[in-house]
Amino acid sequence: AMFLKAVAVAKAVFNREITKAKDNDEGRRLAEKVYEATIDKRFVVFPESYPWSEVLAVHHETIYALYPQGTRWHVKAVRSDRHSFKVRKEFPASWAGKRDAELGKITGVKDASFCHNKLFLVVAESKEGALALAKLALEA
């Protein structure tokens, strides 16, 4: 009886892994579709949080990926190599660790809310704010 219970658990885990792999394949397909439709490929704006990192790793002109997470918008620097943490272009050093009004004052983007100390991620309250941060970082 315990063996049959273990088989049922293993079957459920196996089926979940199959579903997860199918979902990831679909997400990568959607991410590629968004990339192909993007005019300025230096930054790609995703309408949802897709598994984009492997897709953009092979498209070397893309510097930043923008995507919603919860009610905020993230701008994440694309890695220069998918096996490394080095990014193609960091955000400006003056943004490091800044939050809310302080980051807004430095960038001129009122709804800027966070920049990671390691300069690979910035967050804004709106899509427009995220786009403004990405454009500023590209020009820096």
Side-chain angles (χ1 to χ4, degrees), residues 77-80 84-91 119-120:
V78 177
R79 292 180 182 187
S80 56
S84 161
F85 287 108
K86 185 176 185 231
V87 296
R88 294 180 181 160
K89 182 172 179 154
E90 291 181 339
F91 293 101
L119 302 171
F120 69 90

Side-chain angles (χ1 to χ4, degrees), residues 71-85:
T71 61
R72 297 179 173 180
W73 277 79
H74 288 210
V75 183
K76 194 166 185 182
V78 177
R79 292 180 182 187
S80 56
D81 177 322
R82 68 184 199 146
H83 302 292
S84 161
F85 287 108

Side-chain angles (χ1 to χ4, degrees), residues 90-98 103 106 115-119 137 140:
E90 291 181 339
F91 293 101
S94 63
W95 299 7
K98 303 296 188 282
L103 182 59
I106 291 170
C115 181
H116 196 281
N117 276 328
K118 298 292 183 183
L119 302 171

Side-chain angles (χ1 to χ4, degrees), residues 5-139:
K5 285 182 180 180
V7 168
V9 168
K11 185 177 178 181
V13 169
F14 186 69
N15 285 337
R16 177 66 191 125
E17 287 300 313
I18 290 171
T19 300
K20 183 178 170 184
K22 286 179 182 178
D23 290 348
N24 280 334
D25 284 346
E26 176 68 6
R28 284 190 290 274
R29 187 186 67 72
L30 291 170
E32 185 69 41
K33 190 175 178 180
V34 170
Y35 169 81
E36 292 299 331
T38 298
I39 295 169
D40 184 353
K41 298 200 186 306
R42 295 177 300 166
F43 57 91
V44 178
V45 181
F46 294 99
E48 297 177 42
S49 186
Y50 295 142
W52 55 263
S53 61
E54 287 185 26
V55 171
L56 296 184
V58 299
H59 298 296
H60 301 288
E61 67 274 36
T62 305
I63 308 299
Y64 301 119
L66 291 78
Y67 55 93
Q69 188 161 343
T71 61
R72 297 179 173 180
W73 277 79
H74 288 210
V75 183
K76 194 166 185 182
V78 177
R79 292 180 182 187
S80 56
D81 177 322
R82 68 184 199 146
H83 302 292
S84 161
F85 287 108
K86 185 176 185 231
V87 296
R88 294 180 181 160
K89 182 172 179 154
E90 291 181 339
F91 293 101
S94 63
W95 299 7
K98 303 296 188 282
R99 294 181 161 276
D100 305 321
E102 187 178 13
L103 182 59
K105 184 177 180 183
I106 291 170
T107 62
V109 178
K110 291 181 182 180
D111 71 345
S113 60
F114 171 75
C115 181
H116 196 281
N117 276 328
K118 298 292 183 183
L119 302 171
F120 69 90
L121 173 72
V122 294
V123 179
E125 299 298 321
S126 68
K127 181 179 180 180
E128 295 74 22
L131 284 166
L133 290 169
K135 289 175 183 177
L136 284 169
L138 282 172
E139 295 168 3

